[in-house]
Amino acid sequence: MLLYPKSVGYNLFIRKRTPYSMSRILPFQTELRPAIPCVRGNVDYSTFEAELFRIDEILHLSGVENYFVELSTDHWLKKWLEGQPSHSQVVNHQHRSRRALRCILLQRILAESFRKMSRRLAECSLFQWFCGFTALEEVRVPGKSELERFSDWLPVESMNLVLDRLTQAASQKDPLTQVNCIWLANQIELDTVWLDSTCLKANIHFPVDWVLLRDVARTLMKATITIRKHGLKRRMVDPSMFLKQMNQLSIAMTHTGRKPGSKKARKVVLRKMKKLLKLIRDHALRHRDMLDLHWKETDWTRPQAEQVLGPIDSVLGQLDEAVRQAHERIIGGRQVKNQDKILSLYDENIHVIKRGKSGAEVEFGNTLLIVEQAQGYVVDWKLHKDSAESDSKQVKPCAERLDDRIGVGVIKAMIGDRGFASKGNEQFLNEKEIFDGLCPRGVDGLKKRLKGKRFRDAQRRRAQTEGRIGVLQNEFFGRPMRSKGIENRELAVAWSVLTHNLWVLARLKRIEDAEQTARAA
């Protein structure tokens, strides 16, 4: 059952602060669980175990877990077409919702793929305990596909509500006992925030124009091979021969750049690629039409057949544009505008982002804005679907989002680098009575501002925001993030930010048990 403290003051605090009533969580019979083995001799494991215990405690005390279950239940009931689900069906869904939350949090902490995460759940009793899979007789862990379904359990809008619930619990005290509900020695402070933007890199290779043609060939021929394995065949040579020929042409294209007369040689190789692609397209299109008409002759259902038809249609729809793009660059010798380029056949809404940094003049992905407070807790984020405007135009929308998420008048200072500074932002912050900690672009203005201690200290602290972005990218987003499509990438960022914030809170100082009991009394 729920492991909440029996303090009257705490229960009043929860009922007042939680947007949904606790009674919407249906009771269920908990299973008997064996004790977690006590492991000694490894300090790193002991530290990690303590962090998981603390995260489990925060999920209970803050009401985040129950709130997640309530939102998922509401989301699930909206899809219920006829009648009402039974009591057992609701309990089963809420039980799976708890496991979904904990499995994806652990997966983000470990930075594992879904396949490896399933295996590690089977191996480690600590992970089984945290995710709720421990049992006396048989332990059944979710597979790769189930974990992937868990990652799409809630839409990004609901995940942001869960994040706001955690922020609320970490930043406020019980008005009766003056104790933070998750027992932080010092609740997080929201009056000062630091802003910085980065590029959320897409999981693509460097978008050389002729490589797109190789990707087309691989996708179409692999789909053709899959269709033929399931009994639908048209007369053609072995599809793997087309893949071999395309790989040979790709190698030849790579090596032509190192020889005299490389421009002429590249044109010759590209013409061979285009000729080969016509054959590949014709064979793939015939197999695609045959599958669409005769899918009942295979062992697939219609939705399974659609999983094969979808990638074929997507690639065929972009084939002509990919060929035109390669022709313009290699044969025509003309540049293609960034907004007209196909950077990836499998992921839309990816942009060329000019960073101007050493070793990364340009990056490919989406602009991500991160807003953190003094202890490193991320209070706001924004992933831009379209090509992002300059950093200076993100300050006002960010302040408005913070007012909606945290409360009007809570933010007292905003600090950022010189990319966020502008006359308009200076006037906007002054009107809202928010301290302008944005670094001026001019040298004279910077020298003048550095004379103030508050501005100087804020800019010195700003260096930690760069490190915070590095932690998010390397430890929580994935190396690189594997989600494709802007909606999936937004949801992955929401999961990563929630996991990061729980990890940050778990490492903050906690009120000792004796002191907590005395204050609650």
Side-chain angles (χ1 to χ4, degrees), residues 353-363:
I353 300 176
K354 296 181 180 180
R355 304 290 291 173
K357 296 184 177 180
S358 176
E361 184 67 26
V362 295
E363 295 177 339

Side-chain angles (χ1 to χ4, degrees), residues 73-95:
T73 303
D74 291 342
H75 186 67
W76 175 65
L77 289 176
K78 291 178 182 178
K79 299 180 180 180
W80 201 268
L81 299 178
E82 298 180 359
Q84 293 292 331
S86 63
H87 180 276
S88 60
Q89 288 175 321
V90 176
V91 170
N92 180 60
H93 178 78
Q94 292 185 349
H95 196 48

Side-chain angles (χ1 to χ4, degrees), residues 340-384:
D340 299 332
K341 284 183 180 178
I342 297 178
L343 300 179
S344 174
L345 296 171
Y346 318 109
D347 199 349
E348 299 179 356
N349 304 117
I350 295 177
H351 307 284
V352 180
I353 300 176
K354 296 181 180 180
R355 304 290 291 173
K357 296 184 177 180
S358 176
E361 184 67 26
V362 295
E363 295 177 339
F364 305 97
N366 300 90
T367 300
L368 175 65
L369 177 68
I370 294 294
V371 183
E372 67 163 351
Q373 50 81 242
Q375 288 113 321
Y377 185 97
V378 177
V379 295
D380 185 46
W381 62 273
K382 174 66 176 178
L383 182 65
H384 292 270

Side-chain angles (χ1 to χ4, degrees), residues 295 300-310:
W295 62 271
W300 284 334
T301 62
R302 182 62 191 185
Q304 290 173 332
E306 292 289 346
Q307 292 294 319
V308 180
L309 295 174

